[in-house]
Amino acid sequence: MKATVHITLKKGVLDPQGKAIGQALHGMGFGEVGAVRQGKVIELDLAEGTDEARIRDMCDKLLSNPVIEDYRIDIAGA
Amino acid sequence: MKATVHITLKKGVLDPQGKAIGQALHGMGFGEVGAVRQGKVIELDLAEGTDEARIRDMCDKLLSNPVIEDYRIDIAGA
């Protein structure tokens, strides 16, 4: 089975990388762009029947920084 | 309107960061994890009515590296 973890900065946390992308897009003439935020996606190949709680555990312990990041888990075919 | 761009490495392109995450998870006792790939998500706030072709243009010119990366565009509410 496959799971995808989307990790994004919490609202209110400054995102300098997103800001830099936004400014670069503006500089290139994409004036329609407002705020930009950058996050991560982690695609996991997992043994069949892996519990979502187990994936949540991975997120809390390694994949995300719960102080400043939120995550969302998508399980393929679930 | 909001658009989300998912950028992932093409199949076959080595992903050392994903590999490192996989090994770290293994070391922490998450033996059910197989391959891991890491990608990026970019969330864009855009002026209403921005064309998908325009977003594709941003991806090709700045957001992704078309040599090694694929991207997927999700437009919220579309």
Side-chain angles (χ1 to χ4, degrees), chain B residues 38-55:
Chain B
Q38 169 157 8
K40 284 181 282 188
V41 215
I42 298 172
E43 294 171 355
L44 302 164
D45 273 341
L46 294 164
E48 278 317 309
T50 302
D51 205 12
E52 185 172 337
R54 192 83 176 144
I55 306 173

Side-chain angles (χ1 to χ4, degrees), chain A residues 32 34 37 39 41 43 45 54, chain B residues 32 34 37 39 41 45 54:
Chain A
E32 66 268 59
R37 308 276 288 170
V41 215
E43 294 170 356
D45 272 342
R54 192 86 174 141
Chain B
E32 67 267 58
R37 308 276 287 171
V41 215
D45 273 341
R54 192 83 176 144

Side-chain angles (χ1 to χ4, degrees), chain A residues 18-59:
Chain A
K19 202 152 185 100
I21 295 171
Q23 286 172 352
L25 285 171
H26 268 262
M28 291 167 74
F30 294 104
E32 66 268 59
V33 178
V36 180
R37 308 276 288 170
Q38 169 155 8
K40 284 182 281 190
V41 215
I42 297 172
E43 294 170 356
L44 302 162
D45 272 342
L46 294 163
E48 278 316 309
T50 302
D51 205 12
E52 184 171 335
R54 192 86 174 141
I55 306 172
R56 202 173 298 281
D57 211 22
M58 294 178 204
C59 290

Side-chain angles (χ1 to χ4, degrees), chain A residues 60-73:
Chain A
D60 290 330
K61 287 189 181 155
L62 181 78
L63 303 180
S64 81
N65 175 351
V67 178
I68 55 165
E69 290 171 333
D70 285 326
Y71 61 83
R72 200 183 78 234
I73 298 169

Side-chain angles (χ1 to χ4, degrees), chain B residues 1-51:
Chain B
M1 62 182 276
K2 279 182 183 281
T4 308
V5 179
H6 299 259
I7 299 167
T8 47
L9 283 170
K10 288 190 183 184
K11 263 195 182 94
V13 176
L14 222 61
D15 179 3
Q17 199 170 1
K19 204 153 186 98
I21 295 170
Q23 286 172 352
L25 286 171
H26 269 260
M28 291 168 76
F30 294 104
E32 67 267 58
V33 177
V36 180
R37 308 276 287 171
Q38 169 157 8
K40 284 181 282 188
V41 215
I42 298 172
E43 294 171 355
L44 302 164
D45 273 341
L46 294 164
E48 278 317 309
T50 302
D51 205 12

Side-chain angles (χ1 to χ4, degrees), chain A residues 9 12 17 71:
Chain A
L9 283 170
Q17 199 170 1
Y71 61 83

